[in-house]
Amino acid sequence: MEKRVWHAFYDEGIPATFPFVERTLPEALDRAAANRGDATALYFINRRMTYRELKDQVDRLATALARLGVVKGTRVAIQLPNLPQTVIAYYAALAAGAEVVMTNPLYVAREIEYQWFDSNCEVAILADFIWEHRVKPIREQLPVKHYIIASIPEYLGFPLNLLAPLKLKRMKPPSWARVRPGPGVHLFKKLVDSTPPDPPKVPVGLDDTAVLQYTGGTTGVSKGAVLTHRNLSVNVQSVVAWLHLSEQSDEVVLAALPFFHVFGMTSSMNFPIWAACTMVLLPNPRDIPAVLQAVTKRRITLFMGVPAMFAAINNFPGIEQVDISCVKSCFSGSAPLPVDVLQKFEALTGARIVEGFGLTETSPVTHGNPMRTVRKVGSIGIPFIETDSKIVDLETGTRDLPPGEDGELVIKGPQVMREYWNNPGETANVLRDGWLFTGDIARMDADGYFYIVGRKKDMIIVSG
């Protein structure tokens, strides 16, 4: 791309133009399993899974999905917290050529019905307690043909795999339910274990759809951002480069950000697999004692978080006596990070926190403060590799504004979605000549650092 003022502030070794590798996410898992098969792919409480084991589980489920009729373009919903099954289901569905629909585990029946009908999901992979209490009662109203039911205890090690159901079913609300298989209802672990790892070879291209990621977007109307394999691949490669990591890293990544959210999907699941490093899965990011236990026990080195998590750790009773100095780098997104929160967390860990910015429509990361050069606290940083950005006037969106003036933030880059699913009117409203109109009011300073200052309130709502 053309030279931009912010390129002068890129860390040494990060180019303005990047040689993105032509590799899909399933191919990244294949590579990690081939090169680092015995390395730890994930920890889940008392369970460790290597990359070789993860690949085997993915291959088995991909085979099972094909036997259930999943072909290229089939939409598969995944409604799970951060569990080993979430990772397995996501990569198996993509390898089978399916298009993944990540569904918030907190969605009520009305939201589930809308999303799965809008996307025409044919297979749903969900937790037992979600099935029992929210989906089973509306099963006849949904387009789904096959349900694959996962249970939190089934991927725990002994003896927690036996003890966990007793605790989980007493929680409010319950997080475990006994499910009996039947027509169209399959148990996740039994299905995987009974299927050989022999998935069909499905030609998946970088420009094929990978994920329909639902968002309120710029208007608040729920719609699916169509993210391609290329969108997700280049974005995760940009994160790896921005953090100065190789494709075979020994980082240990806190995977507490929800995978059903695009920030968690990219930064806490796809990124570790691309870099062949370790993710430490936590189903509940609000459980700060569990977060701290994971940090200290697994020696987390890379902390992906949101401001509320950093603040909660800072305010945890006795935090000064907890050794979290293993954390070396942190990435914060989704909301502005208060200066006092940043300073205290950095004092506790010795780590450096960089703030960034992204949108569901951009896979998600578009801007970030550099890891080593100038960090401007309060800014969202500078545009990522091969990402262009500018500020345009609020009235027409056709006039570029100079540094210091407030206007609408617009973005162009290889991570920008293809379209909104089945919504050409809204697509045309936000995608114009390759530029994504974000609806965020921002300003750029003379160095090319961007600052979010508000939200545009007069966005035109166009139904497709």
Side-chain angles (χ1 to χ4, degrees):
M1 62 178 293
E2 296 178 11
K3 185 73 173 177
R4 296 289 186 251
V5 62
W6 54 76
H7 292 157
F9 295 91
Y10 275 13
D11 287 349
E12 184 179 354
I14 295 183
T17 300
F18 190 72
F20 291 118
V21 178
E22 300 274 303
R23 185 186 304 148
T24 65
L25 296 179
E27 288 170 342
L29 175 59
D30 293 346
R31 186 177 188 274
N35 294 340
R36 306 195 79 191
D38 294 327
T40 302
L42 62 85
Y43 286 111
F44 177 58
I45 308 179
N46 71 335
R47 173 72 183 271
R48 171 183 177 265
M49 186 178 293
T50 67
Y51 271 102
R52 185 175 292 106
E53 292 170 331
L54 176 59
K55 177 69 166 61
D56 175 75
Q57 296 286 288
V58 166
D59 285 349
R60 290 173 183 274
L61 182 57
T63 306
L65 290 174
R67 292 181 176 183
L68 292 176
V70 171
V71 296
K72 189 171 183 177
T74 301
R75 268 155 232 113
V76 175
I78 299 175
Q79 191 176 24
L80 294 166
N82 289 14
L83 304 173
Q85 298 98 309
T86 318
V87 183
I88 295 165
Y90 180 91
Y91 277 83
L94 291 183
E99 300 171 5
V100 171
V101 179
M102 299 297 277
T103 303
N104 189 332
L106 298 179
Y107 271 3
V108 298
R110 170 181 52 81
E111 294 167 309
I112 295 169
E113 186 174 354
Y114 168 79
Q115 188 185 90
W116 292 359
F117 257 112
D118 185 68
S119 57
N120 192 28
C121 288
E122 296 184 29
V123 175
I125 303 172
L126 65 162
D128 48 19
F129 57 94
I130 298 174
W131 160 259
E132 189 66 26
H133 300 293
R134 273 173 277 163
V135 174
K136 184 179 177 182
I138 61 169
R139 178 183 182 182
E140 299 305 317
Q141 304 166 37
L142 298 172
V144 176
K145 300 175 183 177
H146 291 281
Y147 295 90
I148 301 174
I149 311 301
S151 185
I152 292 176
E154 65 189 356
Y155 276 85
L156 290 172
F158 180 83
L160 292 184
N161 59 332
L162 302 179
L163 300 175
L166 301 175
K167 179 179 180 180
L168 292 170
K169 69 181 180 181
R170 290 198 300 264
M171 296 177 66
K172 303 294 182 183
S175 294
W176 181 84
R178 187 181 301 279
V179 176
R180 298 188 184 280
V185 179
H186 317 270
L187 302 184
F188 189 104
K189 191 68 165 59
K190 289 185 177 180
L191 181 66
V192 169
D193 289 348
S194 63
T195 306
D198 187 26
K201 304 301 181 184
V202 180
V204 177
L206 283 165
D207 294 317
D208 291 334
T209 299
V211 174
L212 298 186
Q213 189 70 17
Y214 277 75
T215 175
T218 58
T219 63
V221 180
S222 182
K223 48 200 169 287
V226 177
L227 303 179
T228 66
H229 284 269
R230 186 181 305 278
N231 291 151
L232 297 172
S233 177
V234 299
N235 203 228
V236 77
Q237 290 182 65
S238 294
V239 173
V240 171
W242 203 258
L243 297 177
H244 299 276
L245 300 178
S246 69
E247 293 188 352
Q248 294 190 36
S249 170
D250 293 323
E251 298 289 339
V252 181
V253 182
L254 180 70
L257 295 174
F259 293 159
F260 64 82
H261 188 281
V262 70
F263 183 26
M265 180 199 305
T266 290
S267 71
S268 302
M269 178 171 62
N270 294 340
F271 157 73
I273 287 178
W274 191 280
C277 54
T278 300
M279 67 182 90
V280 180
L281 300 179
L282 287 179
N284 182 7
R286 296 182 179 86
D287 187 347
I288 300 305
V291 170
L292 289 173
Q293 183 181 36
V295 171
T296 56
K297 182 177 181 179
R298 302 302 182 190
R299 307 307 293 167
I300 298 292
T301 61
L302 187 52
F303 192 112
M304 302 293 194
V306 296
M309 292 176 66
F310 293 109
I313 290 173
N314 287 348
N315 296 323
F316 187 78
I319 188 61
E320 290 79 6
Q321 283 70 55
V322 181
D323 180 11
I324 54 176
S325 61
C326 53
V327 178
K328 302 303 179 187
S329 302
C330 308
F331 199 90
S332 178
S334 87
L337 182 66
V339 176
D340 60 329
V341 174
L342 178 147
Q343 291 173 339
K344 183 173 181 180
F345 191 88
E346 289 189 341
L348 287 168
T349 60
R352 177 180 170 108
I353 301 178
V354 296
E355 288 186 81
F357 176 81
L359 300 159
T360 301
E361 293 86 345
T362 57
S363 312
V365 188
T366 62
H367 295 67
N369 274 274
M371 292 296 297
R372 296 173 182 171
T373 58
V374 177
R375 177 184 67 178
K376 296 191 178 185
V377 177
S379 82
I380 60 171
I382 55 182
F384 257 38
I385 302 165
E386 291 196 20
T387 301
D388 207 356
S389 189
K390 60 184 179 180
I391 307 297
V392 299
D393 72 283
L394 294 171
E395 291 73 25
T396 69
T398 60
R399 182 169 55 90
D400 296 357
L401 299 182
E405 288 195 27
D406 292 354
E408 185 171 357
L409 174 68
V410 297
I411 299 164
K412 179 188 286 187
Q415 73 275 61
V416 173
M417 69 174 186
R418 185 169 65 216
E419 61 187 344
Y420 285 127
W421 166 250
N422 210 22
N423 199 332
E426 186 62 15
T427 300
N429 190 43
V430 301
L431 276 176
R432 309 175 205 171
D433 297 324
W435 291 94
L436 177 72
F437 283 67
T438 67
D440 286 293
I441 301 174
R443 74 173 67 98
M444 182 182 74
D445 69 16
D447 295 328
Y449 284 70
F450 287 75
Y451 298 77
I452 302 296
V453 297
R455 286 286 293 168
K456 189 175 178 182
K457 302 299 182 183
D458 59 347
M459 293 294 293
I460 300 172
I461 300 176
V462 181
S463 58

